[in-house]
Amino acid sequence: GESVGLHLPTLSVQEGDNSIINCAYSNSASDYFIWYKQESGKGPQFIIDIRSNMDKRQGQRVTVLLNKTVKHLSLQIAATQPGDSAVYFCAEEVAGYSTLTFGKGTMLLVSP
Amino acid sequence: DTAVSQTPKYLVTQMGNDKSIKCEQNLGHDTMYWYKQDSKKFLKIMFSYNNKELIINETVPNRFSPKSPDKAHLNLHINSLELGDSAVYFCASSQGLAVSETQYFGPGTRLLVL
């Protein structure tokens, strides 16, 4: 299930389940979005990106869905593995600004 | 080989001190960044440099002074450290300025100000 922890929303799943991590963004002018994974004690690592002219993009075991109407982004991880346990961040870029604005982050906990 | 490296990994210091964090990338990238991640994991850009030139300064107090001696290095000097400076500081680099260029992050420097 999904719950709000002390600091971060947390999603707990069993190994082999599919995971869906959600992100709401606020700026309708944002035209580029990225998902990052941050494992404990490490820096964020790029997973997948999507431009605003697309509504879906697939990678290896991951899919990003973009719904511009409701300003919502999701990351789907298929057959979640314990190694997927990490904090996941969405980030957005507003057209014309060369900076990324990061979302709050969601902690994914995968039980064997 | 580490792509983006930072030193030190941990830094514990007293309020009022001055400290520096170093960052090096061996990816041949033109653009480097400093980010601050607070205790709630919120990640925010502080600075970006392109070919040793400051591009972005996101309303960071002037106690923070980045320096880029060459495009492979971006150091961060912090004067008169305050309790609120305690955070994890991440360096990152990318091929160019466009945000669509993937940013590669270092392992972070955990700063604790007492």
Side-chain angles (χ1 to χ4, degrees), chain B residues 7-77:
Chain B
T7 53
K9 185 169 182 178
Y10 298 96
L11 185 52
V12 181
T13 189
Q14 299 285 334
M15 224 169 27
N17 284 351
D18 303 338
K19 291 292 179 185
S20 292
I21 307 171
K22 297 189 175 188
C23 178
E24 177 181 0
Q25 53 95 3
N26 63 5
L27 297 166
H29 288 166
D30 287 342
T31 308
M32 296 184 73
Y33 311 81
W34 277 110
Y35 286 85
K36 179 180 180 180
Q37 187 172 48
D38 64 21
S39 59
K40 296 183 179 180
K41 295 285 191 182
F42 184 63
L43 194 62
K44 187 168 166 44
I45 186 143
M46 300 172 70
F47 303 101
S48 73
Y49 268 70
N50 189 61
N51 275 321
K52 304 193 297 175
E53 287 190 27
L54 178 66
I55 302 298
I56 292 166
N57 177 342
E58 285 288 320
T59 60
V60 177
N62 58 14
R63 297 183 296 104
F64 291 79
S65 51
K67 283 191 172 50
S68 183
D70 55 63
K71 71 175 192 178
H73 295 84
L74 181 61
N75 303 324
L76 183 65
H77 188 76

Side-chain angles (χ1 to χ4, degrees), chain B residues 55-107:
Chain B
I55 302 298
I56 292 166
N57 177 342
E58 285 288 320
T59 60
V60 177
N62 58 14
R63 297 183 296 104
F64 291 79
S65 51
K67 283 191 172 50
S68 183
D70 55 63
K71 71 175 192 178
H73 295 84
L74 181 61
N75 303 324
L76 183 65
H77 188 76
I78 315 170
N79 288 326
S80 302
L81 278 154
E82 300 177 358
L83 295 177
D85 297 332
S86 295
V88 183
Y89 292 84
F90 287 101
C91 177
S93 73
S94 61
Q95 184 62 56
L97 270 176
V99 172
S100 56
E101 301 278 2
T102 301
Q103 293 186 25
Y104 295 85
F105 283 77

Side-chain angles (χ1 to χ4, degrees), chain A residues 34-77:
Chain A
I34 308 176
W35 279 101
Y36 278 90
K37 172 186 181 184
Q38 185 178 17
E39 295 176 77
S40 181
K42 296 184 178 179
Q45 180 183 10
F46 173 91
I47 302 174
I48 192 167
D49 59 359
I50 189 167
R51 290 208 168 273
S52 59
N53 60 354
M54 303 171 70
D55 52 21
K56 180 178 180 179
R57 189 157 189 231
Q58 285 186 288
Q60 188 176 15
R61 281 201 308 119
V62 294
T63 301
V64 56
L65 298 177
L66 175 62
N67 185 330
K68 294 182 288 293
T69 304
V70 295
K71 298 200 285 282
H72 184 268
L73 195 66
S74 68
L75 177 71
Q76 299 179 0
I77 305 174

Side-chain angles (χ1 to χ4, degrees), chain A residues 91-105:
Chain A
E92 61 184 295
E93 182 221 5
V94 176
Y97 290 82
S98 297
T99 57
L100 287 174
T101 299
F102 282 80
K104 185 188 287 191

